[in-house]
Amino acid sequence: MSEAQKKRSFEYMDEDGIDDELKCIICTEPFLDPVTIPTCGHTFCRSEIEKVFEEKGVCPRCQQSISTHEWESVNGNLANRLNKISVKCKYCGQMNIQRGYFSDHIEKICSKVPVYCSNG
């Protein structure tokens, strides 16, 4: 299980069935907060490319030099496809939630989300 999987509060319903075009080559997970490098057109999870940028400063696919000011948030078809991936809530077990609606599930529907005391 990757670090990204441990941190999120959902799991993918059919991770093996998710198209490779929807996955980051760095973490091998479906994109989370995807960004594209316009000079070469490659897309990565924002958190993953930030780590690579700090270490190497080059695109992991083509080795072209990159800078953070070049990154563009992804929208349109890719974002729509990512939002439609079915997930399961780790707290309540509800299945077949579209990933794009998962934050609504956690904030408004799920009765088993842990509540943390702000006083420590």
Side-chain angles (χ1 to χ4, degrees):
M1 182 179 292
S2 72
E3 286 302 310
Q5 286 175 315
K6 291 177 189 173
K7 291 178 186 177
R8 65 177 183 241
S9 50
F10 63 79
E11 57 190 45
Y12 293 103
M13 297 293 300
D14 179 19
E15 195 157 358
D16 292 336
I18 298 171
D19 191 331
D20 285 341
E21 292 178 357
L22 301 178
K23 294 181 180 181
C24 175
I25 66 158
I26 301 170
C27 68
T28 69
E29 298 285 325
F31 294 114
L32 288 175
D33 192 13
V35 293
T36 298
I37 303 167
T39 53
C40 63
H42 296 126
T43 302
F44 308 95
C45 296
R46 181 181 301 273
S47 62
E48 298 298 332
I49 194 64
E50 285 175 352
K51 290 181 223 171
V52 169
F53 175 75
E54 291 298 319
E55 292 174 17
K56 299 179 182 177
V58 297
C59 173
R61 269 200 196 265
C62 66
Q63 305 304 307
Q64 184 174 16
S65 209
I66 58 173
S67 65
T68 55
H69 72 275
E70 295 176 337
W71 304 348
E72 295 178 353
S73 293
V74 171
N75 54 30
N77 187 41
L78 178 61
N80 290 338
R81 290 178 64 198
L82 290 165
N83 286 337
K84 290 179 181 178
I85 296 173
S86 292
V87 298
K88 174 184 175 182
C89 178
K90 286 185 178 179
Y91 299 122
C92 71
Q94 182 175 338
M95 297 189 289
N96 295 317
I97 304 166
Q98 286 189 353
R99 194 178 89 169
Y101 294 116
F102 189 75
S103 60
D104 285 341
H105 169 78
I106 289 294
E107 294 169 10
K108 300 174 184 171
I109 298 169
C110 187
S111 61
K112 304 217 175 186
V113 174
V115 178
Y116 299 99
C117 178
S118 60
N119 290 331

